[in-house]
Amino acid sequence: MERLDKRLAATGRWSRKEARELIRVGRVAVDGAPCRAPEAKVGETAPVTVDGAPVGADRPVYLMLNKPAGVVSSTDEPGERTVLDLLGEEYRNLGLFPAGRLDKDTEGLLLITNDGPLAHRLLSPRRHVDKVYYVEVDGVLDGGDVEAVRRGVTLGDGYECLPGELELLPGGRSAHITLREGKYHQVKRMLASRGKPVTYLKRVRFGPLELDEGLPKGAWRPLSDRELKGIFSQQYENFGSFNKKISKNY
Ligand code: URA
């Protein structure tokens, strides 16, 4: 038996605090009955649902989505179209969630899964999993920006970003940027602090996963066996220079 809030937090989808809040507002049920007590003890195999979706569903699912602009990276947000709304009916009640977030106007690679521990590993700040974005800016990026990103940009609120990589594309109005952390609006804030506001942003790599350029915007597919091997290999941390790994032009 373990505490209900602990069981939810163990999925990696919610912090203990978020789990307690979900429980208190009545979104969690155990054995089909709503339970508002974070400290309630639940058995290992007791079915727990959040908003009716099983937590830790027994069928693990791993999907690659090419997120379009205009949808939010959450499972439920009143008045918004979510990335889960893009999936078919058969994916409705499997406890899926996006591993990580992209802004509403950001496009590109999103891993959708119900594997909390895996998501937790990929997103853990300690692991510094590479994220690569294709970015377009208002302005012209130059060597000073490359150097600033390499050293670690200081954001407007004083936060010092970890060193990243910026590779300029011809003309300097676009680039690939590699980050090893995932702060709120990070790419936009980094480049805004250089006076080059982002006009378009698309994630093209997340750890070992590279966006499948054959996936139209809004489309998704299960990960291939090779991709699954990649995300479970634990070899995806600190890839080094991304241009050795990005095989396509975006
Ligand atoms: N950085 C941003 O600014 N936005 C995203 O969606 C992802 C990274």
Side-chain angles (χ1 to χ4, degrees), residues 128-150:
H128 303 314
V129 171
D130 282 5
K131 291 136 201 115
V132 184
Y133 298 85
Y134 166 79
V135 61
E136 292 175 7
V137 297
D138 185 3
V140 178
L141 295 160
D142 57 26
D145 301 313
V146 172
E147 188 51 24
V149 172
R150 197 185 64 75

Side-chain angles (χ1 to χ4, degrees), residues 101-103 106 133 183 185-189 201:
R101 287 185 174 229
L102 294 177
D103 296 337
T106 300
Y133 298 85
K183 300 287 173 205
H185 289 335
Q186 188 163 355
V187 175
K188 292 176 185 163
R189 288 160 70 210
L201 189 62

Side-chain angles (χ1 to χ4, degrees), residues 154-172:
T154 302
L155 301 180
D157 62 3
Y159 177 76
E160 289 180 19
C161 298
L162 291 177
E165 289 166 42
L166 181 69
E167 185 184 303
L168 306 187
L169 293 169

Side-chain angles (χ1 to χ4, degrees), residues 5 38 41 82 90 97 107 138 152 160 167 184 194 209 225 244-245 249:
D5 56 351
K41 288 285 199 300
T82 74
E90 72 273 31
F97 60 94
E107 298 182 352
D138 185 3
E160 289 180 19
E167 185 184 303
Y184 182 63
R194 301 289 307 164
L209 293 178
D225 287 349
K244 293 189 205 105
K245 299 159 302 180
N249 283 324

Side-chain angles (χ1 to χ4, degrees), residues 29 53-54 58 62 79 120 124 156 162 180 186 201 215 220:
D58 49 5
Y62 307 92
H120 192 70
S124 161
L162 291 177
R180 301 195 173 92
Q186 188 163 355
L201 189 62
L215 270 184
W220 51 270

Side-chain angles (χ1 to χ4, degrees), residues 66-85:
N66 184 0
K67 178 190 172 300
V71 297
V72 295
S73 306
S74 56
T75 51
D76 177 29
E77 203 166 313
E80 295 285 3
R81 203 162 164 236
T82 74
V83 287
L84 296 191
D85 293 332

